């Protein structure tokens, strides 16, 4: 216990300095205090600032404050960095952590951290913590933003920052030299980079099918029968576009996996990289799937309000026959079960749910249940078409209806998948995934380990 | 590697003591063992307890156990603390961690930890870990409850506890002196403190509109036409109250942000605090929005079951005209799209989803998409009213129908927001948010950093 | 600051070795580099591998690499472990971390880590990190998979591995000796172990009620009236099975809690373990509830599409009377409110939402709101039956309809719960939960602490 005591005493002396008493500086200071650090704020007007800073911290002039600690957090906007120039001498050998962010990308020719380094060449600048908000600093790290990215030239300086991060409850990742700073500064400014491609695909498909169906349904009726049914745009047309886009995007979500399997089969190895376009496609499968779910959700709502629209209700023939009833009920039932699985897939895409799944559980849901969903939704669409595939009146102006077009891709994906799960193909694929290579000398030990099998 | 070895040897000797072999004590002990600590349990009846304690731990009498470690966790109920009095001598200089909780607020005149300190004045009492359940101790920290709050007089003692917390996978936050203990003890007893105000608003609005519509619809029909349509309370009336309350609460969710912007514009600076009522309002925006979503969800369900209620189905005129169809379909379509966005806002409010968003992404969704949702839902309601605004038969007993009343607030919010996004106002607001102050000398460096811009 | 500097210098020298340059080895190496470690890869063909390994790491032959560090991660498949045999001398005293996994349970007679130990008896083998995927190593730990399980014979070796885990942002849990390795290796291979029992119950109940209703509804109509209504299987029958199974499973979710309370009441203490079957039942309550929600969701969808099925729409008598309207509307309204609460329960079961709740909040929602949900859904079903309970035509072939059968269990659960919340029983239960024991001498201090009360 003697030893414990002396260890504790050394803890107590750790002190860090924070320049800047804005939101960010104050939140960081509070958190540092709570983690057991001594905190000294540096301020231009130490007397007027002392009321602002968290209880337990000291506030001094910049020069005095910088003498009290080895590590200095710079929580000041870049425009005001020039106040550091006269302090260059005092800051020699200190670790300066640049927390700053910009308002937009490419606002300045060089990264803020590089600019800071050029102003105070004797100090060791580390970029870091800028991806956190004052809010998350105050309230503590949660799941995803537990990670703090840092970069800088000096390994020692980065180690000192990593040590502080760990004590604050974060986990710091060294991203390399100071030249990476620009990337880190762009990070909080990014707006859904992984969603862009899937969103563009969704918008493109929606627009294409909207105009296709506008011509086939509404303009056709106007031209051939002089009937104005333009009001159908709002619900009927929307309820055709939504399921079509949903089904196509769901199959786009499973197509790259199937293609990748065939590529591995053709190459006879898993040790060659996929082409870039396939890699990028595979990385946005989750987003494709979630957008597909969104369209399916709208389709469900648009379908369920049909009976409310009494003002356009047509007098359907109430002639009853068992075949029609079987077909209609199966069509509805498959749709409901498909949507149920769809929602299940969506829920298991939530970050906190994924985290509770083992690798095998995740792959079971996203692959097995995913393909089952695709199968149910495709069957649902085939039943919708039913015997109209063969009737010539379906092909107005010689064009097939939307649901036929949208069946092509899912049918192809399902057929390819069916091929892949035939025993002989499946065996080869499994062996390749376990590291087997066609034509390679199998006696050589491979320095490799599959992702958990 | 020589050095590594000696480091490891010092690890091994760390030993902690746990008093109490109940659920909490055992779970804590197990976790400590798993993190590599030596654990000694203190028990009144060491022999009979030895079967209960986790494998690998020792169990001794209280006095003997207390000799074996510097840090002692007190996992015993406050009622039984008096057994510590005779041990006061052995406990001198030890760190005692009080884990206890009470059954209700203000159960005792002073905090348990303060009471413990008064019983064993020579020890250094630290309050902490009490916000964790035995369950979360055993299963490991997850997201939000990774944070362990501690308080106590001695910095050294708190540092020792922080060190243990970090090794167990938690992140400890020092909340100050022992006088804060009562707050920490009240923490696990709190019941949705941030939901109270929004819930009261929701209940108040629901009750007010329920009675208003009860009079206008059901009592009016009874008085003027002697018709008993009281059954309408269950579905029709509910389906009027739900959307009204939902829309009002959604606009209450966006009103404070708009007010805050105008206040900043008026004051010409962002460096003055908002009035307290505005602060409190802004802090419960998320709860207001989620309650609004709940009411919208009920409204959707109540609407969709309308056609099932064949027993009250009125024979609507099936007279068809294109204007009615356009109006009706647009009304439904706007409602569906609005609800779709509503659900999207709800999903992005989930803690695990928020964590994956950058600040800019979060603000895009909650502000841009949020106002779009408000716009769609308001337009949906206007279309519902349509031309009835001008017909005098709408105003039974000279009162306007519910949907008219509920349109006032969202219309105001949208108008104010429209003003704020006109280029000239928007430019000023942006400059203020970047730290510009009207009338201030702009050459002065400001010690401030905006939340990631 | 002198002291700080020397501390930092010692950081820099920490070096670890990774054998294997596959996905797992490379991801681990990258993460180690980012956490500030020096990383040396061991490879059979160091020259050809040097292009693969992350920037900043060294690659050497196995023998040379093993000399450079005390800790060696073995990221190689078990089939290739024999390359370590000739290195046994160099590996003496080193810590070898076995990361490997198998393709299926019981693939080999002994655990991989035990096999490794037998090949290199002089080394200290630690099993660990195998529950992580290469992906999660690269992207950093998130919530649940922050936990790394390790086991091994040497406490020193395990401490060294724990220290690395903490620096990588994980939290390591020592599970005991190397004999536990098999369990850790089976962990990533498990497929929803806690869902098995609830899924079997759900499937069993669905099948039983499906055949029961098939006979009562469809075969009965065929036999007695020669009517073929087999198409009703797809929607009408499904819409009877779903709500029945949902209600039964919801009551199965609350029954064990009620039974446990009565058991505690009967025994007069909370300090005796529940029987195993009750423990297991209580541990799968969440899964039972979520499956019940799934069935309720399908029931809602199946109900809402009823009016779309114009081809089977019967001409219901449109005879209107207020009692029928009250009953019908109440039935629907209770169903909607019940489903709303159901969904709320589901949302609060999400891991990230649970984490934000205090213990008292969680128990308020899952217990109070849960029983309210059960009450609403049971009342909804009673209203569905209405006056048909007494009409003999309801009992075709002397069998009661499905909804009557499914009312038994929830009614029992609700009655028992009602008993438990009567003041006198409630007082006794509360005292027992606080540690009171019937017949025990209450003056004895108890070494126990309830889970946060």
């Amino acid at each position: 216990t003697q030893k414990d005591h002396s260890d504790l005493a050394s803890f107590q002396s750790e002190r860090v300095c924070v320049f800047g008493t804005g939101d960010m500086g104050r939140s960081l200071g509070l958190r540092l205090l709570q983690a057991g650090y001594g905190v000294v704020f540096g301020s231009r007007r130490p007397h007027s600032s002392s009321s602002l800073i968290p209880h337990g911290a000291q506030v001094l002039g910049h020069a005095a404050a910088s003498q009290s600690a080895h590590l200095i957090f710079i929580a000041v906007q870049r425009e005001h960095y020039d106040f550091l120039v006269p302090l260059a001498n005092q800051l020699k050998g200190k670790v300066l952590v640049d927390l700053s962010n910009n308002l937009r990308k490419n606002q300045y020719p060089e990264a803020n951290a590089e600019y800071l380094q050029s102003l105070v060449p004797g100090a060791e600048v580390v970029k870091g913590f800028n991806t956190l908000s004052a809010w998350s600093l105050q309230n503590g790290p949660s799941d995803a933003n537990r990670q703090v990215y840092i970069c800088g030239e000096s390994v020692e300086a980065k180690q000192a920052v990593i040590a502080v991060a760990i004590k604050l409850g974060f986990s710091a990742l060294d991203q390399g030299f100071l030249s990476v700073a620009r990337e880190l500064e762009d990070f909080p400014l990014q707006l859904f980079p992984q969603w862009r491609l899937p969103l563009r695909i969704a918008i493109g498909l929606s627009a294409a099918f909207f105009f296709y169906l506008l011509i086939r349904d509404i303009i056709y009726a106007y031209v051939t029968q002089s009937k104005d049914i333009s009001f159908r745009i709002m619900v009927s047309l929307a309820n055709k576009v939504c399921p079509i886009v949903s089904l196509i995007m769901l199959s786009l979500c499973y197509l790259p996996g199937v293609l990748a399997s065939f590529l591995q089969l053709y190459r006879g190895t898993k040790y060659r990289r996929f082409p870039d376009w396939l890699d990028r496609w595979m990385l946005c499968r989750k987003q494709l799937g979630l957008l597909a779910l969104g369209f399916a959700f709208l389709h469900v709502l648009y379908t369920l309000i049909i009976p409310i629209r009494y003002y356009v209700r047509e007098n359907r023939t109430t002639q009853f026959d068992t075949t029609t009833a079987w077909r209609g009920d199966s069509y509805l039932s498959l749709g409901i079960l498909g949507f149920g699985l769809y929602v299940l897939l969506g829920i298991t895409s939530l970050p906190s749910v994924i985290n509770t799944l083992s690798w095998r559980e995740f792959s079971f849901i996203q692959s097995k249940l995913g393909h089952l969903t695709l199968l149910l939704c495709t069957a649902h669409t085939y039943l919708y078409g039913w015997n109209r595939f063969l009737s010539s009146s379906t092909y107005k102006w010689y064009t097939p209806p939307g649901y036929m077009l949208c069946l092509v891709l899912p049918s192809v994906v399902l057929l390819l998948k069916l091929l892949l799960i035939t025993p002989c193909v499946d065996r080869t694929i499994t062996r390749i995934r376990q590291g087997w290579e066609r034509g390679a000398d199998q006696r050589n030990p491979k320095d490799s380990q599959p992702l958990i099998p």
Side-chain angles (χ1 to χ4, degrees), chain A:
Chain A
T1 60
Q2 193 65 33
K3 189 187 146 296
D4 278 345
H5 264 285
S6 63
D7 270 13
L8 294 175
S10 75
F11 267 129
Q12 205 172 356
S13 61
E14 281 188 66
R15 225 189 249 181
V16 292
C17 178
V18 178
F19 278 11
T21 54
D23 289 331
M24 195 71 181
R26 290 201 308 270
S27 302
L28 178 64
L30 181 59
R31 185 88 193 174
L32 285 164
L33 281 169
Q34 290 180 336
Y37 286 97
V39 176
V40 181
F41 278 94
S43 165
R44 262 188 81 250
R45 290 159 292 185
H47 295 292
S48 65
S49 304
S50 62
S51 62
L52 288 167
I53 62 159
H55 182 76
Q58 249 187 302
V59 59
L60 299 172
H62 286 126
S66 70
Q67 293 315 302
S68 62
H70 177 61
L71 202 74
I72 302 171
F73 288 94
I74 311 292
V76 178
Q77 288 180 44
R78 178 199 168 112
E79 300 92 278
H80 309 313
Y81 276 5
D82 29 7
F83 85 95
L84 291 162
V85 176
L87 297 172
N89 247 348
Q90 282 103 313
L91 296 177
K92 198 162 265 173
K94 303 277 178 185
V95 176
L96 304 186
V97 185
D98 183 312
L99 303 174
S100 67
N101 279 305
N102 296 322
L103 292 170
R104 55 181 181 280
K105 293 189 181 183
N106 304 319
Q107 197 177 359
Y108 297 105
E110 79 287 71
N112 298 354
E114 290 173 311
Y115 172 62
L116 177 62
Q117 184 70 80
S118 73
L119 291 180
V120 198
E124 289 170 343
V125 172
V126 173
K127 179 84 209 178
F129 287 82
N130 65 307
T131 51
L132 299 174
S133 62
W135 188 88
S136 87
L137 266 172
Q138 239 175 29
N139 292 276
S142 45
D143 200 11
N145 52 20
R146 259 177 36 80
Q147 310 235 17
V148 170
Y149 301 95
I150 62 165
C151 69
E153 301 297 324
S154 154
V155 175
E156 271 190 23
K158 289 190 282 192
Q159 289 290 2
V161 177
I162 288 178
V164 172
I166 288 178
K167 272 199 95 180
L168 296 193
F170 296 95
S171 124
L173 289 183
D174 182 356
Q175 300 293 299
F177 294 118
L178 207 56
S179 50
V180 185
R182 177 175 283 275
E183 257 174 65
L184 299 191
E185 286 170 12
D186 282 350
F187 191 79
L189 295 171
Q190 65 185 204
L191 192 60
F192 299 110
Q194 340 82 296
W195 284 87
R196 276 190 199 164
L197 182 61
L199 269 174
R200 271 181 210 146
I201 294 173
I203 293 168
L205 282 173
S206 303
F209 276 98
F210 176 79
F211 287 113
Y212 182 75
L213 295 169
L214 188 72
I215 292 166
R216 252 188 64 93
D217 291 4
I218 287 149
I219 297 179
Y220 177 87
Y222 191 74
V223 170
T224 60
Q225 300 154 45
S226 306
K227 258 172 65 185
D228 176 11
I229 52 167
S230 61
F231 69 93
R232 287 186 167 274
I233 288 172
M234 293 311 282
V235 172
S236 308
L237 205 63
N239 199 18
K240 283 183 178 176
V241 171
C242 283
I244 287 173
V245 175
S246 179
L247 188 56
I248 292 181
M249 294 200 67
L250 190 64
S251 42
L252 284 179
C253 170
Y254 290 106
L255 185 54
V258 170
L259 290 182
S261 295
F262 273 102
L263 202 62
Q264 287 183 336
L265 209 58
Y266 170 76
R267 288 172 168 178
T269 176
K270 69 156 192 172
Y271 293 110
R272 277 171 58 198
R273 281 178 57 85
F274 294 125
D276 262 1
W277 58 268
L278 189 56
D279 254 351
R280 237 178 311 139
W281 192 353
M282 291 184 66
L283 283 174
C284 66
R285 282 181 291 179
K286 180 176 170 177
Q287 284 75 22
L288 284 168
L290 288 175
L291 285 176
L293 173 58
F295 280 95
F297 179 67
L298 292 180
H299 167 51
V300 167
L301 288 178
Y302 275 117
T303 303
L304 292 176
I305 55 151
I306 291 175
I308 300 178
R309 298 160 68 230
Y310 61 91
Y311 41 85
V312 292
R313 211 178 285 155
E314 296 151 41
N315 280 320
R316 306 257 201 172
T317 52
T318 46
Q319 181 88 37
F320 173 82
D321 74 289
T322 307
T323 316
T324 313
W326 260 104
R327 182 227 137 210
D329 276 10
S330 304
Y331 156 71
L332 291 169
S333 210
L334 284 177
I336 287 172
L337 294 176
F339 182 65
L341 279 181
Y342 234 133
V343 170
L344 186 66
L345 291 178
I347 290 171
T348 48
S349 299
L350 286 172
S352 66
V353 177
I354 289 181
N355 288 337
T356 64
L357 298 177
S358 78
W359 185 89
R360 194 170 157 224
E361 291 166 348
F362 178 74
S363 98
F364 174 81
I365 287 185
Q366 295 296 337
S367 170
K368 298 249 167 78
L369 292 192
H371 284 99
L372 183 59
T373 310
L374 186 60
L375 182 66
L376 288 175
C377 293
T378 309
H380 168 74
T381 314
Y382 271 110
L383 278 175
Y384 176 77
W386 193 238
N387 53 10
R388 279 178 283 179
F389 286 99
L390 300 171
S391 134
S392 70
S393 71
T394 313
Y395 301 89
K396 302 178 193 162
W397 283 346
Y398 307 106
T399 57
Y403 63 86
M404 279 192 202
L405 289 179
C406 86
L407 273 169
V408 177
L409 206 56
S411 305
V412 169
V413 172
L414 286 172
L415 273 176
L416 291 179
K417 185 72 194 172
L418 200 68
L419 264 172
L420 284 175
I421 57 173
T422 52
C424 62
V425 182
D426 184 48
R427 212 176 312 125
T428 317
I429 280 283
T430 307
R431 280 166 69 200
I432 287 173
R433 296 236 170 106
Q434 288 166 27
W436 176 85
E437 290 187 80
R438 194 187 299 137
D441 175 2
Q442 286 311 305
R443 318 284 301 276
N444 275 358
K446 278 269 161 297
D447 286 334
S448 63
Q449 155 94 354
L451 308 199
I452 292 162

